[in-house]
Amino acid sequence: MKRIIVSISIITMMLTSSCEQKEKADLVIINGKVLTINQENPSAEAIAVKGETIFAVGSVSKIRSYIDKGKTEVIDAAGRLVIPGFNDAHVHFGPLDPDYIELRYTTDPSVITEKVKAQLARVKPGELIQGGHWEHEMFTDRKWPSKELIDKVSPDNPVILSRADGHSVLVNSFVLKKSGITKNTPNPFGGEIQKDPVTGEPTGILKETAEDLIKTGEVKSERTPEEEESRTWKGYLLALKEAREYGVTSLQIPGKADYAAYKKLQKEGQLTCRIDMGEFLTSDSSALEKFITEKQKYPLDSDWIRFGYLKAFMDGTIGSGTALMFKPFADNPESSGLAMMPYEEFEKMVIKADKMGFQIGVHAIGDKANFWVLNAYEKAQQVNGKRDSRHRIEHAQTLQESDIPRFAQLGVIASMQPTHCITDKRFYEKRVGLERCKEAYAWRSLLNTGAMLAFGTDYPVEPLNPMEGLYAAVTRKDRHGEEGGGWFPEQKLTMVEAIKYYTWGSAYAQFMDNRKGMIKPGYLADIVITDKDLLTIPDNEIMKTKVDYTIVGGKVVYASGR
Ligand SMILES: [Zn+2]
């Protein structure tokens, strides 16, 4: 009897090992510092992928056994950090302008002149020329660029070239003239017209709200519908290229977007990002019925193009003084912001859409706006019963203390953008007063109460680059790395947490946490390898970190060296 048992177990062992032998990977990553975001198995050295999914995570020796020589693609991470692909939970993604002059990583400012000159040969006088992503800290002289660089080649066309962070632009004299900006123009609130210290003349650099002064007198170019269509197509390809270079493997677009365009990209093998989009929240029954049909066509259990949630706005923004607050703004006692609709109307819409099974995501910035949205979600639970609805608050910037635990209690996701914190903090204190800042961008307070965070960018409001979001989440300092411990440092996150909510947290917010956002067997192989170790580098290296590999669904869609 004993002998039989032994032989059965030997046979079983042989069977298992022969099965394992048969299992060969399409792609393996070896010698990595793998941060899995999977609590049960937080770190590993290697990953094996078959088709679209990960099937093994472990040691190099284990994963090596899945290599089929000559067939399996092997990536040697050479000690680099390997993490799940970034999932931007709030991004206004769409086609880029194919005529946009790309200036990223430019070290010689004269390249700006050359590229503008080349573009000028393709356009008519008066047509707008746009470009950007220059970073003067990368120039060999590290000096801010000035209008002289472009004036000589573009006297009759408006030129606007954004800095990499999107918070300043370089314009030519043509634009300054059209905008009426002279040496006598004062700086607008929250902005700066950079002026030459000697002559007092504007240099062509406009920072922050000074960009709102821009008038271009642009002459629109006329294009045939076919030309328009091909431009849009190219624009999508460019946008997707940017996303994969940043390691962004999933995008959640709030509100409406073009299903047909993404379908076409997918059909032609060009879709390198998983896309969720939705519609706007309404109480119109026929519109909601239509959305149900759309949802069935792009269901939540698919992995690429999906119907996400219904979006609504409760208020405006802090920057423009339109966020809905309980008490007036510190710098404007006349105003407590604006509600986009009366509460009763909003509540009815929420209850109706919730009853029909939709997920809802509402833009709420002010403390009162957040209170209202939480109230409506609570009411919907009371009326329709509690379910796994995963309703979201987009931004959730200013919260009254008593509302913080309600996120976890109601199962509401705080869909937040860490870079907003470091951009807005410059005027936050002045506008809402110090007291209310304590529960602004309150990531730590929310986590302490058991809430779920989903991170994103709100691109193009903030740059798409996830490294900026990670930097913001762990430092709460401005982009220049100001002195001190950061703005309300008690709300800072660890790097592991920041990555977790930018990957798995975002996946949770779209009901995909069971198959995305972790490096775990059975999960989609959306993986990123970075050139620096985000877990150990000093803060000032985080935003300089680049992606070396982006893998989506087991396919390498970007490799820095190739
Ligand atoms: Zn937005």
Side-chain angles (χ1 to χ4, degrees):
M1 190 65 192
K2 204 176 175 189
R3 199 174 294 160
I4 296 171
I5 292 171
V6 170
S7 32
I8 287 173
S9 64
I10 288 172
I11 292 165
T12 322
M13 271 171 63
M14 282 166 65
L15 280 174
T16 350
S17 67
S18 69
C19 279
E20 271 180 16
Q21 284 306 313
K22 260 188 239 162
E23 184 117 58
K24 290 295 178 192
D26 294 326
L27 170 82
V28 300
I29 299 168
I30 54 167
N31 302 322
K33 179 176 175 181
V34 184
L35 176 72
T36 66
I37 308 297
N38 173 13
Q39 270 175 1
E40 291 152 22
N41 179 32
S43 58
E45 297 170 340
I47 306 164
V49 174
K50 194 166 181 68
E52 275 216 55
T53 47
I54 296 163
F55 76 89
V57 178
S59 65
V60 174
S61 60
K62 176 185 166 188
I63 299 301
R64 269 194 199 285
S65 67
Y66 302 121
I67 296 176
D68 192 356
K69 271 235 163 85
K71 284 188 186 154
T72 303
E73 181 173 3
V74 180
I75 296 174
D76 185 350
R80 283 171 291 184
L81 184 68
V82 182
I83 56 177
F86 292 104
N87 182 339
D88 195 320
H90 186 118
V91 55
H92 301 276
F93 192 78
L96 292 173
D97 174 0
D99 291 326
Y100 191 87
I101 301 173
E102 186 53 68
L103 298 168
R104 204 183 297 281
Y105 310 134
T106 299
T107 51
D108 177 1
S110 72
V111 169
I112 297 177
T113 313
E114 282 162 34
K115 286 197 173 176
V116 170
K117 193 177 166 188
Q119 183 59 21
L120 231 102
R122 291 192 281 269
V123 300
K124 286 185 292 203
E127 267 186 54
L128 176 63
I129 293 174
Q130 278 180 297
H133 299 137
W134 56 266
E135 163 62 89
H136 68 279
E137 296 289 344
M138 285 187 79
F139 295 167
T140 36
D141 62 4
R142 300 184 79 176
K143 278 190 191 146
W144 283 90
S146 65
K147 60 187 180 187
E148 285 76 21
L149 278 174
I150 36 182
D151 277 350
K152 51 190 173 192
V153 292
S154 183
D156 303 316
N157 289 70
V159 181
I160 304 175
L161 306 171
S162 309
R163 189 169 181 269
D165 64 0
H167 290 269
S168 328
V169 293
L170 170 66
V171 301
N172 59 347
S173 292
F174 185 92
V175 170
L176 291 174
K177 202 170 156 207
K178 287 278 176 197
S179 313
I181 298 171
T182 66
K183 65 194 291 184
N184 301 320
T185 312
N187 287 335
F189 177 81
E192 185 196 337
I193 300 165
Q194 195 188 63
K195 287 173 185 157
D196 186 296
V198 181
T199 63
E201 288 293 334
T203 63
I205 294 291
L206 304 174
K207 298 184 187 177
E208 303 295 348
T209 58
E211 291 180 38
D212 301 340
L213 303 173
I214 293 176
K215 291 189 184 72
T216 58
E218 177 188 355
V219 175
K220 288 275 179 202
S221 53
E222 280 174 26
R223 296 189 191 97
T224 65
E226 291 75 29
E227 282 169 340
E228 254 339 314
E229 202 180 305
S230 111
R231 267 176 72 82
T232 308
W233 176 253
K234 277 187 212 156
Y236 273 112
L237 296 182
L238 279 171
L240 286 166
K241 178 172 180 276
E242 190 177 3
R244 58 182 181 260
E245 285 175 4
Y246 283 140
V248 180
T249 55
S250 290
L251 297 161
Q252 301 176 40
I253 303 172
K256 226 175 151 58
D258 189 352
Y259 284 105
Y262 290 105
K263 268 296 226 205
K264 190 176 171 209
L265 286 159
Q266 188 185 31
K267 206 173 142 215
E268 308 217 349
Q270 300 281 3
L271 190 63
T272 51
C273 241
R274 304 178 193 277
I275 310 271
D276 270 25
M277 60 193 99
E279 287 286 351
F280 286 99
L281 182 66
T282 169
S283 53
D284 176 357
S285 300
S286 65
L288 289 168
E289 290 297 338
K290 221 183 85 200
F291 298 163
I292 287 193
T293 318
E294 235 168 64
K295 213 174 131 182
Q296 285 159 348
K297 221 167 136 192
Y298 301 99
L300 286 180
D301 58 7
S302 61
D303 292 331
W304 283 94
I305 305 169
R306 309 172 351 132
F307 187 100
Y309 63 91
L310 299 183
K311 167 93 190 280
F313 287 87
M314 197 72 261
D315 65 347
T317 65
I318 294 286
S320 55
T322 49
L324 183 64
M325 307 294 288
F326 280 110
K327 292 189 193 123
F329 289 106
D331 63 349
N332 182 8
E334 304 289 293
S335 169
S336 317
L338 292 166
M340 293 293 140
M341 68 185 100
Y343 175 75
E344 292 69 26
E345 191 186 316
F346 172 69
E347 190 190 87
K348 269 188 211 147
M349 275 163 69
V350 168
I351 292 172
K352 190 168 181 179
D354 175 78
K355 193 171 184 201
M356 291 172 82
F358 286 104
Q359 184 187 21
I360 302 164
V362 183
H363 165 120
I365 303 252
D367 50 10
K368 192 173 180 182
N370 278 277
F371 176 67
W372 278 12
V373 179
L374 289 166
N375 290 355
Y377 289 158
E378 189 172 353
K379 194 65 196 268
Q381 268 185 19
Q382 285 162 5
V383 176
N384 300 331
K386 198 167 176 161
R387 64 183 173 93
D388 186 11
S389 53
R390 301 195 195 182
H391 294 322
R392 320 161 40 137
I393 293 188
E394 302 302 312
H395 312 307
Q397 281 178 13
T398 330
L399 303 171
Q400 60 174 348
E401 216 180 327
S402 53
D403 279 339
I404 288 176
R406 297 177 73 202
F407 281 79
Q409 281 157 16
L410 298 166
V412 173
I413 292 149
S415 166
M416 301 176 80
Q417 303 74 36
T419 41
H420 276 326
C421 171
I422 62 169
T423 300
D424 295 358
K425 73 183 189 63
R426 290 167 301 166
F427 54 78
Y428 228 87
E429 275 180 41
K430 194 174 167 191
R431 184 139 294 166
V432 308
L434 200 61
E435 192 52 37
R436 286 182 285 187
C437 287
K438 280 184 196 153
E439 306 302 345
Y441 308 95
W443 310 314
R444 176 60 63 202
S445 301
L446 283 161
L447 288 183
N448 283 348
T449 58
M452 180 61 78
L453 303 179
F455 278 165
T457 57
D458 206 8
Y459 168 88
V461 180
E462 297 283 346
L464 188 64
N465 185 358
M467 299 307 163
E468 298 207 13
L470 298 181
Y471 169 81
V474 304
T475 67
R476 291 177 72 103
K477 286 185 186 183
D478 72 15
R479 289 172 167 87
H480 307 292
E482 63 196 323
E483 292 289 304
W487 194 63
F488 294 92
E490 61 278 9
Q491 297 291 352
K492 287 197 280 198
L493 299 186
T494 66
M495 181 56 85
V496 172
E497 287 169 332
I499 294 171
K500 176 180 171 184
Y501 295 107
Y502 218 129
T503 54
W504 187 75
S506 297
Y508 181 90
Q510 56 175 174
F511 294 93
M512 289 186 85
D513 49 307
N514 61 349
R515 61 189 189 281
K516 202 168 75 177
M518 283 188 195
I519 296 178
K520 182 178 172 180
Y523 273 54
L524 292 166
D526 296 356
I527 301 164
V528 158
I529 303 178
T530 59
D531 70 340
K532 295 188 185 73
D533 182 357
L534 290 162
L535 304 180
T536 56
I537 53 174
D539 291 347
N540 64 4
E541 295 276 303
I542 299 170
M543 286 203 295
K544 293 178 192 154
T545 302
K546 294 199 171 60
V547 166
D548 276 347
Y549 283 92
T550 304
I551 296 159
V552 184
K555 270 176 71 181
V556 177
V557 295
Y558 171 71
S560 62
R562 290 184 197 171

